Structure formats: C-alpha cells, structure tokens
C-alpha cells in the first residue's frame, strides 16, 4: 500500500476531474486563451482534450499548473462571501 501524499494536491485527482473543474470554472474560451492548444480552441470536448493531454506532456503540465492556480484561488472566493445573518423567527 502506498503512503498518502499530503503535500501533493494533485495526488488522487484524475486528469478528467481536473479538466472538468477547469471547464466549469473558466469555460473553453478562457482555457484556450490560457493554454493555446487546438483541442481547446476548435470544437472542444472533454474526450478530444483528454486524448491530446494524455499524449502531450507539456500541455498536461500546463493544465496541471492551471488547476493548482485554481485550487489556490478557490478558498479565497469563499472568504469573500458576505456573512449571512440569521433570519428572525416569527413567534
């Protein structure tokens, strides 16, 4: 059994899961501007993108880097949410 990797945020995250979250967060257009590869620009799909990324180490590294940036931004977005005040109950 392999030991857990607490210092590696990519451990246990599949490339498909990374790409799905990035597309949900940024959209294909923004991804194609950040990482200018054809599979993000012309007729983008998860299937074609995963096929390309699995065979192209430099592009996969860029997606992983963008995903790490996304993970760093994500907690900050939650900190900016306004505090919710409890609603008064009717008695």
């Amino acid at each position: 059994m392999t030991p857990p990797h607490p210092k590696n945020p990519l451990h246990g995250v599949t490339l498909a899961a990374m790409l799905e979250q990035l597309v949900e967060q940024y959209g294909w257009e923004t991804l194609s501007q950040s990482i200018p590869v054809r599979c993000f620009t012309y007729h983008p799909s998860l299937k074609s993108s995963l096929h390309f990324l699995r065979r192209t180490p430099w592009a996969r590294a860029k997606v992983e880097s963008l995903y790490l940036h996304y993970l760093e931004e994500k907690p900050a977005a939650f900190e900016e949410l306004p505090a919710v005040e409890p609603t008064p109950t009717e008695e």
Side-chain angles (χ1 to χ4, degrees):
M1 185 171 197
T2 61
H5 300 276
K7 303 251 182 206
N8 185 357
L10 296 178
H11 181 73
V13 181
T14 64
L15 183 59
M18 278 188 254
L19 190 56
E20 286 172 1
Q21 288 182 3
L22 290 173
V23 169
E24 184 179 316
Q25 177 68 25
Y26 301 114
W28 288 110
E29 187 174 335
T30 304
L31 278 178
S32 69
Q33 292 170 356
S34 298
I35 306 168
V37 292
R38 189 173 177 86
C39 65
F40 292 166
T41 307
Y42 301 102
H43 308 293
S45 72
L46 285 174
K47 183 178 178 181
S48 66
S49 298
L50 288 171
H51 181 66
F52 174 77
L53 293 171
R54 287 182 179 131
R55 287 164 173 69
T56 315
W58 64 264
R60 182 181 181 137
K62 288 187 177 198
V63 168
E64 289 172 349
S65 175
L66 184 61
Y67 182 74
L68 290 172
H69 178 71
Y70 160 75
L71 290 178
E72 290 172 3
E73 280 185 349
K74 194 174 177 181
F78 290 114
E79 291 172 4
E80 295 174 9
L81 292 175
V84 178
E85 296 180 23
T87 57
T89 57
E90 294 181 35
E91 292 182 31

